[in-house]
Amino acid sequence: MAGGLSSVFRWRNVIAAGLVAVTVVAASAQTLPAQPWPTRPITIVVPFAAGGPTDILARVLGEHIRADFGQPVLVENVTGAGGSIGVGRVTSAVPDGYTISAGNFSTHAANGAVYPLKYDLQRDLDPLARLPSNPMVVVTRKDFPAADLRELMAWLKAHPGRATAGTAGAGSGSHIGGVLLSELAGGLLQFVPYRGTAPALQDLVAGQIDLMVDQAANSLPQIRQGGIRALAVAATTRLAAAPDIPTAAEAGLPGLQMETWNGMWVPHGTPAAIVEKLNHAIVKALDDPAVRARLAPLGLEGPPPGESSPEALRALQDSEIAKWWPIIRAAHVTAE
Ligand code: MLT
């Protein structure tokens, strides 16, 4: 009996000590200050050449993130293989919020159907925020013998395989847009891959290639300067930034509809608090009238209110993968 009582006391002591320990741990968890973040530079990996639409978005928003957090934001252009190399770099980075993947419809959706990727676009990256979208425009070198989209289609049919179309690499938005145009014209374009649409556009202005299905943000400055000719915007409505360009339907090709949506991601496993901080900084930047004034003349608009959350980008990415992978596979778009 005495032995029994003493063991009861012993257990009471153990339980009491345990309770004290739990209370101390809980108290210290409450009073510990949150880890400061960021404490060093953040890198945004752009998977295309400098000066193109993805690069412009990253630099404009990166400037805001820098001002918000008081840390440098570096933009690193890691190009090649339709942007899949740059995205791969981020999937293998430490998930601490210091490495961000900027990308779009092609790099974060289409490429999964084009390349044998060593990463999974939906599993290995966590969405940060949806960014403005950009309609595609059909543009030609300024002396191409077609004054409008109908004349271009007639020329392509009359000269099979002769026209060259610049792209940002296999699977890029400019390539998929070109494939759509090519299919509507009977499969007659020769594609010329670059490391981004910025260098492709330079060659279009120089007359080295014939045409592009390009993001408005890339082409509009040269359209305005007369360096290239715009034949149609691949959207149901005209661009507010360039109302003179007819829609593809108005120009005789209603089947040509495509826009490039954009976003930012971090490596999977990045702490939720950091994702939230970055999302707030990006949404704040997109609400800034100065940022809108910089992006709107390039046809970069949206996202619609409430659609810039990580969840909205995840839903968009998932639905675009479901929509485009079968189309891309049926069109036999490959990395070669
Ligand atoms: C770029 O920045 O070069 C483009 O976003 C590439 C593309 O998707 O066509």
Side-chain angles (χ1 to χ4, degrees):
M1 185 75 175
L5 266 181
S6 74
S7 72
V8 167
F9 278 124
R10 268 204 308 278
W11 276 110
R12 275 195 185 145
N13 290 345
V14 169
I15 290 165
L19 281 176
V20 169
V22 168
T23 311
V24 169
V25 169
S28 59
Q30 273 165 15
T31 54
L32 259 185
Q35 290 295 307
W37 184 95
T39 56
R40 58 186 173 84
I42 296 170
T43 299
I44 303 178
V45 177
V46 168
F48 294 111
T54 313
D55 186 71
I56 292 171
L57 270 176
R59 286 177 200 272
V60 170
L61 297 176
E63 177 52 29
H64 253 263
I65 297 171
R66 182 199 64 74
D68 249 33
F69 293 140
Q71 288 292 337
V73 174
L74 316 171
V75 172
E76 198 182 339
N77 299 87
V78 181
T79 67
S84 60
I85 295 173
V87 176
R89 170 80 66 86
V90 179
T91 60
S92 53
V94 178
D96 54 9
Y98 289 104
T99 313
I100 296 174
S101 172
N104 63 24
F105 152 78
S106 67
T107 51
H108 290 74
N111 275 353
V114 177
Y115 293 90
L117 300 177
K118 292 203 174 75
Y119 50 86
D120 185 302
L121 284 167
Q122 287 151 296
R123 198 187 54 217
D124 296 338
L125 292 161
D126 292 342
L128 265 191
R130 183 175 166 187
L131 307 181
S133 296
N134 208 213
M136 307 298 278
V137 286
V138 181
V139 287
T140 65
R141 61 181 160 84
K142 62 175 183 286
D143 54 355
F144 191 83
D148 56 32
L149 196 57
R150 283 189 183 86
E151 285 189 20
L152 173 68
M153 298 309 272
W155 194 97
L156 295 177
K157 285 176 183 156
H159 302 84
R162 288 265 303 279
T164 49
T167 77
S172 63
S174 38
H175 185 212
I176 305 291
V179 169
L180 288 183
L181 181 73
S182 192
E183 292 214 326
L184 291 166
L188 308 166
L189 288 177
Q190 280 182 59
F191 292 106
V192 184
Y194 294 78
R195 287 180 175 260
T197 47
L201 181 66
Q202 279 176 10
D203 268 8
L204 187 65
V205 173
Q208 300 292 317
I209 52 173
D210 294 319
L211 63 100
M212 284 174 70
V213 179
D214 193 16
Q215 287 176 61
N218 198 44
S219 278
L220 278 179
Q222 278 299 340
I223 294 169
R224 291 189 183 113
Q225 285 173 37
I228 56 173
R229 192 186 290 148
L231 304 188
V233 54
T236 49
T237 53
R238 292 189 178 205
L239 274 174
D244 292 349
I245 307 172
T247 65
E250 288 169 337
L253 210 56
L256 190 65
Q257 300 287 329
M258 189 184 155
E259 68 166 16
T260 294
W261 49 265
N262 296 287
M264 284 187 178
W265 289 256
V266 281
H268 176 62
T270 302
I274 293 176
V275 169
E276 198 182 323
K277 274 188 173 188
L278 281 166
N279 176 271
H280 282 171
I282 294 166
V283 171
K284 197 170 133 200
L286 293 174
D287 277 346
D288 182 338
V291 170
R292 290 206 209 144
R294 171 95 175 76
L295 300 181
L298 300 175
L300 279 161
E301 288 184 355
E307 293 289 312
S308 45
S309 65
E311 295 74 23
L313 178 57
R314 164 72 74 208
L316 176 70
Q317 186 184 11
D318 289 352
S319 68
E320 288 281 283
I321 284 174
K323 171 183 165 184
W324 282 96
W325 282 13
I327 297 174
I328 291 167
R329 287 183 175 135
H332 305 292
V333 179
T334 61
E336 302 306 317

